[in-house]
Amino acid sequence: MVIDLPGTSLGSPSVNKPLSGAIESVRVGQFDDDTTRIVVELKDGFTLDPQQVKFRGISASEWTVDLPAPVRGGTQNSISEPGGERLSVEPSARETQSAEATVVQNVQVTADGFLLAPGAGGQQPQTNGKHGVDKIEVRQLPTDPPVTRVTLRMKSSNTQWRASVGNSGSVVLSPGGTSGPMLTRSQQVLVGRPAQGSLARVQSIDLASNGTQFVVRTDRQVSYTSGWDQSSRAYWIRLASSSLAGQIPQLDGNSPVSFTASQEDAETVVIWVQPRSGVQVGRVTRPNPQVLSLQLRSSASAQSPLIRDPNPQPLPPRSSIGAGDLPQGSNRRVVVAIDPGHGGRDPGAVGIGGIQEKEIVLDISYQVARLLEQQGVQAVMTRTDDSEIDLEPRVSLASRVNATLFVSIHANAINMSRPDISGIETYYFDSGEDLARVIHASILDGTGAKDRRVRQARFYVLRKSAMPSVLLEVGFVTGAEDAARLSDPAYRSQMAASIARGILYYLQQR
């Protein structure tokens, strides 16, 4: 369990207190210049229910954390990450590896990059700052077949890397190379070496649901990663431990997307999806273990009826912003970075009925981006699927696309014993105060939610963003009123329209 204290310094050397029983140790250290981190490490095989962790304030500067009794789990603990501010935690050196897994034993610095060699065991590699890389993180994922994740932490926001896998299982990482998949800052390389005959087979790729779903079918469940390639404006889906089952038929010329599927290496299939004009790509979902489904949406200019939203939600009423639909965007080039919080292993807050913050905010963020695009404002999302992204790459993406504004969307939570607390909070750090107040007012007008004020805070994505930035808490998933509303797709559409309206109104006033 990780507890971060932003805006604090430890004021003393790091502390590592060994304990006995299910809790192995408590560590306290300075994570960065203004964040103190507390790590409670459980013994292998134990876990605890995060919803039963309770914070109790004793005074303005003193508090306690009550932990539930750890219980034995079926698998090793994954590395926990804090809710709200997701920061990397180094894996424990005691983490065991699957007997059939590829383990990166050492990293060799070469003139062209890094060579990651497999072996029977190893430790976290050192880069010594070579090639602009601060750190290479290696971690075994609890997947079947086993997969090793390699993450580069880079100094430069515009560094691009390529990866290739040799027959021996070694991985060559090179900056700006000429072959292999392109990786951007803090992107990840997934390397697996399954036993012969254990590869999943891609059986078909086609459209479903009246052209609104791009569907990939395999003969068994596969691990996958996905994302946008900014240079080609294509969406990629990379399937680990997979092979193509012969030639995959192409879609007809009237389809909303085209695609190419190829065997990237002996154990990886990559699918590139190119949307046609007026088509927007949504997120990847898994309707069942053997199917991956990529959502397709139309923009306002699309003429094909196949991918139009059959039940568009009405825009919310407005009082302070005036009558009519969404205000038009500016004629000058404007880029808004939309940041759906959390994702992947980090669900964010989990509330009443099991609703998860990461799913709520991704849905709202998609709709905000769609509404902005309809008004002529380019929207760039920091994540478009249920993937893990650290805080720094979110900020870097906004800088890389020269975003005009940065809007991070989250949902709030408090102890499950306080369902009476609901409402909207909006945060800014420095230059985002005006933006925060305009969006906050628009949300209150459009949704009728309770007002929990605009506040100043030192969240990483606000402090590190170069443009006006805000962090929106669209309600409490632990609040009886908010949880019911956020579970309703129609209300999420109202929330998205209110956020988009606030953004557009702010842009009009600049």
Side-chain angles (χ1 to χ4, degrees):
M1 185 182 71
V2 178
I3 303 170
D4 277 351
L5 307 177
T8 64
S9 61
L10 184 58
S12 65
S14 298
V15 177
N16 187 351
K17 183 175 178 60
L19 299 172
S20 59
I23 297 180
E24 190 165 87
S25 67
V26 175
R27 304 194 304 273
V28 184
Q30 196 70 36
F31 182 79
D32 58 26
D33 291 342
D34 57 7
T35 305
T36 300
R37 168 163 290 184
I38 304 171
V39 178
V40 179
E41 184 171 355
L42 303 178
K43 283 188 179 298
D44 287 341
F46 283 88
T47 186
L48 55 78
D49 182 358
Q51 295 191 39
Q52 295 185 35
V53 177
K54 297 183 179 180
F55 294 81
R56 304 182 186 275
I58 299 175
S59 68
S61 59
E62 186 177 1
W63 43 268
T64 64
V65 182
D66 295 341
L67 304 180
V71 296
R72 289 191 177 275
T75 60
Q76 271 193 325
N77 299 307
S78 61
I79 299 302
S80 299
E81 301 197 15
E85 292 260 278
R86 296 180 53 240
L87 301 170
S88 298
V89 181
E90 288 290 339
S92 167
R94 286 179 292 275
E95 285 190 271
T96 58
Q97 307 287 354
S98 168
E100 297 183 10
T102 295
V103 179
V104 176
Q105 186 176 30
N106 61 75
V107 174
Q108 301 175 22
V109 181
T110 70
D112 299 325
F114 300 99
L115 175 65
L116 282 64
Q123 58 186 3
Q124 292 298 314
Q126 302 297 318
T127 67
N128 299 320
K130 298 294 186 181
H131 303 298
V133 177
D134 280 327
K135 184 188 298 184
I136 296 181
E137 298 171 0
V138 180
R139 183 174 175 217
Q140 189 70 34
L141 300 184
T143 59
D144 184 19
V147 172
T148 297
R149 171 179 288 159
V150 181
T151 303
L152 300 184
R153 305 290 177 188
M154 304 182 214
K155 297 177 180 178
S156 174
S157 62
N158 60 1
T159 302
Q160 291 185 315
W161 286 69
R162 293 183 185 270
S164 59
V165 183
N167 293 332
S168 66
S170 62
V171 181
V172 177
L173 303 177
S174 56
T178 58
S179 64
M182 181 67 78
L183 306 172
T184 56
R185 190 175 187 183
S186 282
Q187 290 278 342
Q188 297 157 343
V189 185
L190 300 182
V191 182
R193 297 183 66 195
Q196 186 68 26
S198 66
L199 296 178
R201 293 180 67 81
V202 178
Q203 296 179 317
S204 68
I205 300 174
D206 52 29
L207 295 174
S209 301
N210 201 25
T212 62
Q213 303 287 332
F214 178 83
V215 178
V216 179
R217 293 182 173 85
T218 58
D219 64 353
R220 69 190 73 174
Q221 183 169 335
V222 296
S223 299
Y224 72 94
T225 55
S226 62
W228 272 103
D229 179 74
Q230 295 293 337
S231 59
S232 65
R233 300 301 299 167
Y235 192 85
W236 53 266
I237 305 172
R238 185 165 284 108
L239 309 180
S241 305
S242 301
S243 65
L244 291 170
Q247 187 69 27
I248 304 294
Q250 288 293 311
L251 304 174
D252 64 55
N254 295 322
S255 299
V257 298
S258 60
F259 77 92
T260 59
S262 62
Q263 197 73 43
E264 185 173 79
D265 57 42
E267 300 159 355
T268 307
V269 171
V270 62
I271 302 168
W272 292 89
V273 183
Q274 188 75 58
R276 302 194 190 279
S277 177
V279 177
Q280 296 177 343
V281 172
R283 58 175 171 166
V284 176
T285 60
R286 198 193 295 269
N288 67 60
Q290 296 173 219
V291 173
L292 297 178
S293 178
L294 178 63
Q295 298 178 7
L296 305 177
R297 297 186 174 100
S298 67
S299 65
S301 60
Q303 298 301 312
S304 171
L306 294 177
I307 54 175
R308 289 193 181 277
D309 184 356
N311 299 299
Q313 296 297 330
L315 294 175
R318 303 183 304 163
S319 57
S320 64
I321 297 179
D325 291 337
L326 291 170
Q328 292 294 315
S330 169
N331 291 328
R332 64 184 183 278
R333 182 182 182 274
V334 174
V335 179
V336 177
I338 303 296
D339 175 42
H342 307 278
R345 293 174 305 155
D346 175 19
V350 180
I352 296 173
I355 61 173
Q356 296 188 358
E357 177 182 3
K358 68 174 183 179
E359 297 176 354
I360 290 170
V361 301
L362 183 59
D363 181 33
I364 292 173
S365 297
Y366 265 120
Q367 297 188 60
V368 171
R370 176 176 61 86
L371 291 168
L372 293 178
E373 293 276 1
Q374 289 175 1
Q375 302 301 314
V377 174
Q378 182 181 353
V380 177
M381 295 179 62
T382 60
R383 69 176 177 97
T384 57
D385 55 19
D386 186 20
S387 58
E388 289 185 271
I389 305 177
D390 286 334
L391 297 176
E392 195 279 337
R394 297 172 188 254
V395 175
S396 293
L397 174 63
S399 296
R400 192 162 62 248
V401 300
N402 195 26
T404 311
L405 306 174
F406 181 93
V407 178
S408 188
I409 300 177
H410 289 253
N412 226 330
I414 198 170
N415 195 290
M416 292 285 280
S417 65
R418 296 297 306 275
D420 55 305
I421 297 180
S422 292
I424 306 299
E425 297 175 353
T426 303
Y427 292 90
Y428 70 94
F429 174 62
D430 187 12
S431 61
E433 181 174 4
D434 289 344
L435 175 63
R437 296 194 181 282
V438 170
I439 296 179
H440 190 82
S442 181
I443 293 175
L444 297 179
D445 288 341
T447 66
K450 293 180 180 177
D451 182 4
R452 289 181 57 87
R453 306 193 312 276
V454 174
R455 307 162 184 255
Q456 189 172 24
R458 294 177 57 83
F459 292 123
Y460 182 96
V461 293
L462 302 182
R463 289 186 289 112
K464 299 297 184 179
S465 297
M467 66 291 299
S469 307
V470 296
L471 187 146
L472 311 177
E473 297 281 6
V474 297
F476 282 77
V477 295
T478 53
E481 180 179 342
D482 282 352
R485 300 180 83 182
L486 291 170
S487 298
D488 181 3
Y491 179 76
R492 294 197 296 270
S493 294
Q494 274 193 317
M495 177 65 68
S498 301
I499 295 170
R501 178 174 293 121
I503 293 170
L504 292 168
Y505 186 73
Y506 173 85
L507 292 172
Q508 280 187 336
Q509 308 307 307
R510 294 178 71 244

